[in-house]
Amino acid sequence: MTQVLESSEPRVYQGQFGEFTITKSDRTGVIVYRTGLMVAALSFAIASGLVLWQGNNPTVLTAVTFLYACFYIALGVSLATIHIYLASLHRVLQVFWAIGGVASLVLAWQYSEPLALTVASQPFAIVGVGFTFAALTGIYFKEAFCFDRFETKLLTPLVPILLLGHLFGVLPVNGEQVLLGLWAILFIVFALRKAIQAIPPDIGDKSVFDYLKAQRNAKA
C-alpha cells in the first residue's frame, strides 16, 4: 500500500546519538500504522457522508455505528504502531483511546438507539466518546509538528472546536455540518499523503529512542 517497492534490506543511518538500523520489521510497522490510518479515514469519511446525507434515517445511523467501530479498531492499530519519541505521550494517547472505547460501550449499552444518535442528541456523551477523538487529535498534532502538513495543522484545532462546540451547544447545526465535512475531507487527504510518503521519516531517529530508553532505565 505504501512505498512497497522500497528496499526491505536493513540500512544503517547516522542519528543524533549514533548509528541506527532500519529493519524490515520497522518498515512493516510503518505500513501497518498507515494502513490503520487509511481504514480509519475511510470509515470516518463514509460515516460522515451518511450522516450529512440522511442523518435521520435509523438504518443509516446503525451503519454509522458499525463504521465507528471500524474506525475505532483501525485507530487503535495505528496508535499501537506509531513512532513517538516521548513514551509518556504515546501512553497517554493509548489511554485516551481506551477510555473512549469504554465510554462508547457504556453508551451503547445504556441507550437502545444507535450510538451516533445518542452522541447527537445527548451532547454530554462527547465527554466520554471524545477521548477517542482526543487520541486521534494527538496523531494530527504529532504529524503537524514532525512533518509540517497543512491538513494536520487545520485538523488539530478543528476537531476540539467541533466537539466542544457541540458539547456546549455554541455551534449552529449548519456550522457543525460544515466542520464535520471539512474534517472528513482533510482526514482523507492526510491518509492519502501518508500512503505515498517515504517510510524512514515515519520511523524517525532510532538513536533518540535508544537514548531516551537508556535515560529512563538509568533513573529507574
Side-chain angles (χ1 to χ4, degrees):
M1 166 173 180
T2 170
Q3 299 292 320
V4 293
L5 297 180
E6 287 191 40
S7 173
S8 60
E9 294 298 318
R11 292 185 58 183
V12 177
Y13 295 82
Q14 180 61 49
Q16 183 177 353
F17 298 98
E19 293 184 342
F20 64 93
T21 302
I22 290 182
T23 66
K24 181 178 180 180
S25 176
D26 294 325
R27 295 178 182 276
T28 299
V30 172
I31 293 172
V32 172
Y33 164 64
R34 296 179 182 181
T35 301
L37 285 179
M38 182 62 73
V39 173
L42 288 172
S43 300
F44 184 84
I46 294 171
S48 299
L50 289 174
V51 168
L52 295 174
W53 174 49
Q54 286 192 341
N56 295 322
N57 186 319
T59 302
V60 165
L61 292 176
T62 299
V64 168
T65 300
F66 171 76
L67 287 165
Y68 171 76
C70 292
F71 157 83
Y72 179 82
I73 294 171
L75 177 61
V77 170
S78 290
L79 285 170
T81 51
I82 190 173
H83 289 77
I84 299 179
Y85 290 129
L86 295 178
S88 57
L89 175 59
H90 195 177
R91 285 193 294 269
V92 165
L93 296 183
Q94 291 174 323
V95 169
F96 280 2
W97 173 83
I99 293 174
V102 171
S104 300
L105 290 174
V106 170
L107 289 170
W109 177 72
Q110 285 188 333
Y111 295 90
S112 58
E113 61 194 17
L115 180 61
L117 183 58
T118 300
V119 174
S121 60
Q122 308 284 349
F124 74 88
I126 289 293
V127 175
V129 176
F131 276 96
T132 300
F133 298 107
L136 176 61
T137 304
I139 293 180
Y140 294 154
F141 177 80
K142 179 262 184 186
E143 293 285 344
F145 180 82
C146 293
F147 300 109
D148 197 30
R149 296 191 179 280
F150 81 91
E151 66 273 17
T152 50
K153 287 183 177 180
L154 293 175
L155 285 165
T156 299
L158 185 154
V159 175
I161 288 173
L162 175 56
L163 297 183
L164 293 174
H166 179 70
L167 174 63
F168 295 108
V170 297
L171 291 175
V173 174
N174 288 342
E176 290 187 354
Q177 292 174 338
V178 169
L179 290 178
L180 179 62
L182 183 59
W183 180 357
I185 292 170
L186 291 175
F187 196 178
I188 288 291
V189 170
F190 166 50
L192 288 173
R193 293 186 71 192
K194 289 302 295 181
I196 60 175
Q197 179 183 341
I199 285 179
D202 251 354
I203 297 170
D205 184 345
K206 290 176 66 177
S207 73
V208 174
F209 287 103
D210 293 338
Y211 172 79
L212 293 175
K213 182 178 180 180
Q215 290 294 305
R216 290 195 299 270
N217 291 338
K219 291 180 180 179

